Amino acid sequence: MPDIRAEIARRRAFAIISHPDAGKTTLTEKLLLYGGAIQLAGSVTARKNQASSASDWMELERKRGISVSSTVLQFDYAGHRINLLDTPGHKDFSEDTYRVLTAVDAAVMVIDAGKGIESQTRKLFEVCRLRGVPILTFMNKLDRPARDLLELVDELESALQIHAYPMNWPMGTGERFRGVYDRAAKRAHLFERTARGAYRAPEQVAGISDPIVRDALDDDSYRQFVEQLDLLEAAGPAFDRADAARGGTTPVFFGSAVNNFGVELLLSALLEHAPAPAPRRAVSGSTVAVDGPFSAFVFKIQGNMDPRHRDRVAFARVVSGRFTRDLPVRHSGTGRVFRLANAHKIFGREREVLEEAYAGDVIGLVGYGDFGVGDTLAEDPSVVYDEIPRFAPECFARLFNPNPAKYKPFAKGVEQLLREGVVRRLTPLDAGDSKSILLAAVGPLQFEVAQFRLESEYGVESKLEPAPWTLARWIGAKTPAGAIDAVGLPVQCARARDEDGREMILFPTEWALQYLSERHPEIELLRLPPRP
């Protein structure tokens, strides 16, 4: 039997986060290329025209050219087992991204060097900070016009309140971008472009004083490179590895994902600076050792990944121990014991039967209809995790079935989407319209995905009617009984219950929320659902 501690120590689990169009999915593809997981990378242009990214498996993703669902990609590189989780960049799917961040030990933050820090990047960074997730930063698109490089580093520190340490420095930008200089190794990496970045970029490595470096750059680029490097060496502090592991410092890397410049340096740095799996705290307050009995939690449900089988996959992060096929575990949602006979290693849409896994791995459990997001699976029934965040919805709509003859497939499709958390179902406390389903989501594009999947996967049409509310709050336990009935609600507000029976108030405007809060402070309104 393999040494369990050694196996866990070689695991790395990380997510890639960014604002839309910063190059997140392209970087994911190139990390797979350099990790040996794929032989030919599909660039953004190629994906739109003919090929598709290995991480974007859903038809809607291919049509829109965006990621709307997180994907697990597992591969081996340099003696390590890597679990790479590609996440949606679009803000409408941020809840899916937040769930993924519970399942990783580090994150790569991709920033467009021409734009700097953007709104969604800032939000995702704050989630990582709250969870104490260490972050490596990749300044992307250096092959295009970029902002002042020193200003980009300064913006990281001023806008995000984190120390930023450039691990390498670009030699030229835009059309004059030729490579990066590794500050620790004191070696220049000069790259050549390949057609559409489909193959590993040919590379030359040399000392900074080597004539090949001087000849590769024009006079202005070389002068600027040397001046900036001198400033960094003179003014910047030494790299604090311990602070980076705590999330207080972000190692910064420069490159161009589409051209494969600097990608391998980033991948190697992930093995060095991303932490191995660490102990986590259970609901009971006890700390679960990574080499103890097997335990895991489900952070994502995805149905119909394989159109040939129309099954559902529960993605689980292994928190502790060693998984083996047919392992009996206690399911926190039902209290039942399940034998995990149908576990798979997932790579985008592809899968293969899994015989074993260790803490730090993500496994796909196929066909377990009782498993839901947030559930714990453990050999020790006393171990239960509470890792999955819930956020108040901001978009609401009523979903109709225009074809009563297709009631069964319509109901089955809606139930699957609800189980996955693509959208949420609310139950109005007034009489309402019994012919429609009240849906809630973080962003409106989630409704589009729901309708698309109902039609493409279940063959049913649907009608969607926007509802008038724009935000919701849960009612806290401190609210006196009957208080809401006594005061009444502002115009167009409504009361509803979520899937767990917790009461909410739906508000049409921020003003209505403010009005109720100020006039009736005895009513406790919560952004996050109350603990049971």
Side-chain angles (χ1 to χ4, degrees), residues 141-408:
K141 301 187 180 182
L142 265 295
D143 58 310
R144 301 182 183 181
R147 288 175 47 187
D148 181 271
L149 300 176
L150 293 172
E151 286 183 5
L152 286 170
V153 175
D154 183 66
E155 183 183 41
L156 279 174
E157 300 195 330
S158 59
L160 302 182
Q161 298 299 300
I162 188 173
H163 297 300
Y165 186 89
M167 304 298 285
N168 58 33
W169 198 252
M171 295 182 287
T173 59
E175 294 183 354
R176 299 182 291 182
F177 182 40
R178 295 293 178 267
V180 295
Y181 176 73
D182 185 335
R183 295 178 63 195
K186 300 188 182 304
R187 305 291 284 174
H189 294 254
L190 299 169
F191 303 101
E192 296 179 24
R193 304 187 185 208
T194 62
R196 297 196 304 272
Y199 302 94
R200 295 166 63 104
E203 177 183 357
Q204 289 182 296
V205 181
I208 193 172
S209 59
D210 195 304
I212 193 174
V213 176
R214 181 64 188 86
D215 293 343
L217 299 174
D218 60 85
D219 292 341
D220 286 343
S221 295
Y222 185 78
R223 176 183 51 79
Q224 190 174 42
F225 163 67
V226 172
E227 289 176 355
Q228 291 174 335
L229 198 58
D230 287 344
L231 278 174
L232 287 175
E233 298 297 342
F239 177 63
D240 189 336
R241 182 184 296 271
D243 193 53
R246 293 189 298 266
T249 295
T250 178
V252 182
F253 300 83
F254 292 83
S256 166
V258 74
N259 291 305
N260 305 329
F261 288 17
V263 172
E264 189 167 26
L265 290 172
L266 174 65
L267 181 56
S268 298
L270 275 164
L271 306 185
E272 184 177 359
H273 299 294
R280 296 206 181 200
R281 191 172 296 275
V283 172
S284 63
S286 62
T287 299
V288 181
V290 292
D291 58 350
F294 171 84
S295 67
F297 65 89
V298 177
F299 66 92
K300 179 180 174 61
I301 300 288
Q302 185 68 64
N304 302 327
M305 289 182 68
D306 187 341
R308 297 169 298 179
H309 301 300
R310 296 298 189 196
D311 51 21
R312 66 197 301 273
V313 180
F315 290 94
R317 156 67 192 245
V318 182
V319 177
S320 65
R322 175 175 180 257
F323 164 84
T324 55
R325 196 175 179 191
D326 285 326
L327 182 74
V329 298
R330 180 80 63 178
H331 174 233
S332 65
T334 62
R336 292 171 53 196
V337 173
F338 287 86
R339 286 192 175 275
L340 301 182
N342 203 11
H344 288 75
K345 172 184 173 182
I346 305 293
F347 187 85
R349 180 182 276 176
E350 300 173 9
R351 63 178 73 164
E352 64 181 65
V353 174
L354 186 68
E355 296 295 338
E356 67 175 11
Y358 294 85
D361 285 335
V362 173
I363 60 178
L365 302 170
V366 180
Y368 296 91
D370 290 312
F371 295 178
V373 172
D375 290 351
T376 299
L377 306 167
E379 288 184 279
D380 180 353
S382 68
V383 173
V384 177
Y385 299 106
D386 184 16
E387 297 277 352
I388 305 299
R390 279 283 300 274
F391 299 92
E394 300 177 3
C395 299
F396 306 84
R398 295 188 182 277
L399 185 72
F400 298 85
N401 176 14
N403 186 356
K406 290 199 171 185
Y407 168 78
K408 286 188 176 180

Side-chain angles (χ1 to χ4, degrees), residues 10-11 76-81 271:
R10 73 183 190 93
R11 259 63 183 176
D76 291 334
Y77 175 72
H80 290 74
R81 171 66 52 84
L271 306 185

Side-chain angles (χ1 to χ4, degrees), residues 57 108-109 208 374:
W57 54 266
V108 174
M109 180 169 61
I208 193 172

Side-chain angles (χ1 to χ4, degrees), residues 95-124:
E95 192 166 12
D96 193 45
T97 300
Y98 296 152
R99 292 175 194 152
V100 166
L101 291 175
T102 67
V104 299
D105 302 311
V108 174
M109 180 169 61
V110 184
I111 294 177
D112 185 333
K115 299 177 180 177
I117 297 171
E118 299 176 86
S119 58
Q120 184 68 2
T121 308
R122 192 186 302 262
K123 291 179 183 178
L124 295 170

